[in-house]
Amino acid sequence: MWRRLQTLFQRKFKVSLLFLLLLALLVHLAMDLALPAARGPCGCDAKAPKASGVPSGNPVLAGPKKLSLRILQDFSGSNGSLEKGSQLQGARPQARDGKPGVRHQRGEGTAGRTEGSKLAALFEHPLYNIPMPEVTEKDKLFVVNPVEKFSLRSSGSDEWVSSSKAETLLPTGKTAYDTYPTWLKFHVGINRYELYPRRDPLMPTLLRDLATKRIVSSVQKSGGTQLKLIMTFPNYGQALFKPMKQTRDQETPIDFFYFSDFERHNAEIAAFHLDRILDFRRIPPVSGRLINITKEIRDITTDKKLAKTFFISPAGNVCFYGECSYYCSTEHALCGKPDRLEGSMAALLPDKTLAKRRSWRSPWRRSYHKSKKAEWELNPDYCAQVRETPPYDRGHRLLDLIDMAVLDFLMGNMDRHHYETFEKFGNDTFLLHLDNGRGFGTHSRDEPSILAPLRQCCSIKKSTYLRLRLLATQPYRLSDLLREALAADPLAPILTEPHLRALDRRLGKVLATVGRCLAGAARRDEVVVDDVGSWV
């Protein structure tokens, strides 16, 4: 009897379980049938973006589609600690034309500027649209082969290639332009007349890379008087890092010699933007960046000399000091808060093994001595000697040097002992305005000796003179333009208001110097040398 009841119970349990499963299936089907009606006729599903494999919300990954997957992954690996850096330049990166050396027409590369921008209005002014000479193949720093593509796996290894081996793998001259990372496009765009074009659509992307791209190597740069680091990115790009040594409101003490002054990171950033506003475009792009000393320097450096200088301060901050001629000691250590440190990141120029550069001693170089003076400081007719000395006896080299003196006076930079040019272009090319860290050290006083080349030679390019006069007018006031340009940097504010006001004061002194030269000259064209013809 018990067995029969047990069997009956088991049969009823199985039937009940089967019934419940069928019921659940019916409920599920009913819900599926009712779901389209609940969605309504909006057609939302049809409007959904198609899967692309790239997050649509990431403005960096939305860049050139032809970059390799490895490069895209490296772009997405930016330092998340730099919160303000993700908003740098506001605009999405724009792709250059398919070939390097193409002259960009008026109106290109202005995306991201808002209406009412003085900077945008300046770059639309006729003085900033004077045609450049046509760039031929011999005028380009590099001649590229449009057949092969850029690949990070050229070496057959994912490991980083040291600088000594990089020349065998650098794709310059052997790759297709569309596959180049931004730093390489910057390199192949250099020509006889300019470091980068006026309306360079690459600039926002390049500055963003400097501020956010993942750092895979940090080593100390050899030479120089103060600590600098060369930082390497995953796609072989490199930048020169100058750490913060002074706060924004600190001035160089009046008793300091110019050759023992600090090199300031914010001066490098401001110099790049000032150089661009003056339409010289002879300083490589620079961006501010907040560095994690632990993760982006100490933990990844292969520089043993640098590594042994790290320590923890009594306040619990990570510090280091490296090896250099000045200010590299425990007493002058660079300390984070607790391990975050500001600095400037400047795009490196092509390696000298690929694009040789010649270093020239400036005729107006200072003595770099505590008591001795240079010849130009004692001889008021010194410029007559310079005019008879190659390469200043022909071409526009002397006028380019005077351009550089104007830039240095506006910044208050007394440390211009040498300058460089690309050897390929001979003497008929622009001067590179490198190493500007000792600018913007003082705002309460000016150094008139910096203008010695202009005052002694009484010559200036017509294009430079007209732009300086424009920048002294209310609609294009120099301080307003630089303030606007620097506001986009991740470390903004870069300069204090007294430094910005000093620019307007110094600009007035430059124009006054030219005015005195004009008043004493027999002919106007002896002072204001025409370099633009009938265009202006």
Side-chain angles (χ1 to χ4, degrees):
M1 182 67 179
W2 171 250
R3 290 184 179 179
R4 293 180 64 182
L5 289 174
Q6 189 176 19
T7 303
L8 180 62
F9 177 78
Q10 290 177 349
R11 288 178 180 176
K12 288 184 178 182
F13 177 76
K14 290 179 180 179
V15 171
S16 299
L17 183 60
L18 181 61
F19 176 77
L20 290 174
L21 291 174
L22 290 173
L23 182 61
L25 179 61
L26 290 173
V27 171
H28 183 70
L29 290 174
M31 290 177 63
D32 287 345
L33 292 174
L35 190 57
R39 287 180 178 172
C42 71
C44 300
D45 290 345
K47 294 181 181 180
K50 294 181 180 180
S52 62
V54 177
S56 60
N58 190 326
V60 181
L61 290 180
K65 296 181 180 179
K66 293 184 178 181
L67 288 174
S68 69
L69 178 60
R70 173 70 179 277
I71 295 176
L72 292 176
Q73 289 172 338
D74 291 336
F75 271 101
S76 66
S78 304
N79 177 17
S81 65
L82 189 56
E83 297 177 1
K84 287 188 283 187
S86 62
Q87 300 173 358
L88 179 62
Q89 295 293 329
R92 292 184 179 182
Q94 304 175 25
R96 255 186 183 175
D97 295 335
K99 296 181 180 180
V102 175
R103 315 306 295 163
H104 297 284
Q105 300 299 317
R106 182 173 180 171
E108 293 181 358
T110 57
R113 298 197 183 108
T114 58
E115 292 186 6
S117 163
K118 287 190 175 184
L119 203 57
L122 178 76
F123 292 146
E124 291 299 325
H125 193 279
L127 286 173
Y128 287 79
N129 288 277
I130 299 174
M132 299 291 294
E134 182 181 358
V135 178
T136 63
E137 287 297 310
K138 67 178 182 179
D139 295 324
K140 298 176 183 178
L141 187 61
F142 295 114
V143 177
V144 297
N145 185 341
V147 177
E148 298 185 26
K149 296 182 179 180
F150 177 79
S151 173
L152 289 179
R153 300 182 182 276
S154 302
S155 64
S157 171
D158 291 335
E159 295 182 0
W160 171 248
V161 181
S162 66
S163 58
S164 61
K165 299 179 181 178
E167 59 182 303
T168 64
L169 298 175
L170 189 66
T172 302
K174 300 180 181 179
T175 59
Y177 180 80
D178 287 341
T179 66
Y180 295 173
T182 310
W183 66 267
L184 189 52
K185 290 182 179 180
F186 163 59
H187 285 182
V188 300
I190 299 171
N191 60 64
R192 180 186 300 275
Y193 308 107
E194 59 190 2
L195 199 55
Y196 56 89
R198 287 191 180 108
R199 288 172 171 79
D200 190 355
L202 294 176
M203 192 56 65
T205 309
L206 183 55
L207 292 176
R208 183 183 296 111
D209 287 355
L210 292 170
T212 63
K213 201 156 180 60
R214 183 166 59 90
I215 298 170
V216 298
S217 173
S218 297
V219 296
Q220 188 166 321
K221 183 181 184 300
S222 59
T225 58
Q226 299 186 33
L227 178 67
K228 307 176 189 70
L229 301 179
I230 293 180
M231 294 187 164
T232 304
F233 304 128
N235 63 354
Y236 301 162
Q238 291 185 314
L240 182 66
F241 176 75
K242 288 190 177 182
M244 175 179 177
K245 294 187 177 74
Q246 284 184 317
T247 60
R248 306 287 197 276
D249 56 354
Q250 283 183 289
E251 278 197 279
T252 301
I254 195 169
D255 292 323
F256 265 42
F257 286 99
Y258 53 88
F259 50 81
S260 59
D261 191 10
F262 286 113
E263 292 187 9
R264 287 164 286 274
H265 72 300
N266 59 321
E268 294 285 356
I269 301 168
F272 161 68
H273 289 281
L274 178 61
D275 179 83
R276 191 181 184 194
I277 288 171
L278 294 173
D279 200 43
F280 294 155
R281 290 169 287 117
R282 301 164 193 169
I283 296 179
V286 185
S287 174
R289 180 161 179 163
L290 191 64
I291 291 291
N292 185 309
I293 298 176
T294 302
K295 295 181 180 179
E296 296 178 308
I297 302 179
R298 189 192 67 182
D299 291 353
I300 61 175
T301 187
T302 57
D303 189 331
K304 294 182 180 179
K305 292 183 178 179
L306 175 64
K308 70 181 182 181
T309 67
F310 283 87
F311 64 93
I312 304 298
S313 73
N317 297 322
V318 180
C319 304
F320 69 105
Y321 52 86
E323 290 189 357
C324 61
S325 303
Y326 292 96
Y327 308 121
C328 282
S329 64
T330 308
E331 293 77 18
H332 298 99
L334 303 166
C335 297
K337 294 182 179 179
D339 57 1
R340 303 299 174 91
L341 179 67
E342 286 188 16
S344 62
M345 295 281 281
L348 286 188
L349 294 172
D351 192 276
K352 291 183 179 180
T353 59
L354 301 169
K356 293 182 179 180
R357 301 197 302 269
R358 180 171 178 178
S359 179
W360 303 79
R361 178 177 171 140
S362 172
W364 281 271
R365 181 186 186 273
R366 298 179 184 275
S367 65
Y368 286 81
H369 192 277
K370 294 177 182 179
S371 57
K372 293 181 180 179
K373 289 190 175 183
E375 182 180 355
W376 61 267
E377 296 178 276
L378 303 172
N379 181 8
D381 297 322
Y382 178 75
C383 185
Q385 297 177 219
V386 177
R387 288 185 185 274
E388 296 176 357
T389 306
Y392 308 103
D393 57 343
R394 66 175 185 85
H396 51 80
R397 176 63 66 87
L398 181 59
L399 293 171
D400 288 342
L401 199 67
I402 293 171
D403 280 350
M404 187 165 59
V406 170
L407 173 70
D408 285 335
F409 178 72
L410 293 174
M411 296 190 298
N413 178 26
M414 300 174 66
D415 188 35
R416 187 70 68 185
H417 45 83
H418 285 78
Y419 63 88
E420 294 185 12
T421 60
F422 287 108
E423 192 173 285
K424 176 180 179 179
F425 303 135
N427 294 333
D428 187 19
T429 186
F430 60 91
L431 314 184
L432 290 165
H433 300 166
L434 305 178
D435 201 6
N436 304 286
R438 285 188 170 138
F440 295 103
T442 60
H443 54 73
S444 59
R445 58 189 184 274
D446 305 330
E447 180 51 57
S449 66
I450 302 175
L451 276 183
L454 174 61
R455 187 178 62 253
Q456 294 178 351
C457 297
C458 268
S459 295
I460 191 172
K461 290 180 184 176
K462 182 179 180 180
S463 60
T464 300
Y465 179 55
L466 292 177
R467 290 189 187 106
L468 292 176
R469 290 179 57 185
L470 178 68
L471 295 173
T473 63
Q474 182 62 36
Y476 304 100
R477 190 174 299 279
L478 179 58
S479 59
D480 294 339
L481 293 166
L482 188 57
R483 183 186 298 106
E484 180 183 339
L486 295 177
D489 191 86
L491 300 182
I494 301 300
L495 295 178
T496 61
E497 284 301 312
H499 277 294
L500 293 169
R501 290 194 296 268
L503 282 170
D504 296 328
R505 181 183 70 240
R506 291 166 183 167
L507 176 57
K509 292 184 177 182
V510 174
L511 293 175
T513 302
V514 179
R516 288 191 291 271
C517 289
L518 288 170
R523 294 172 48 188
R524 180 183 176 87
D525 60 1
E526 291 179 352
V527 177
V528 180
V529 181
D530 190 3
D531 64 324
V532 293
S534 60
W535 205 90
V536 176

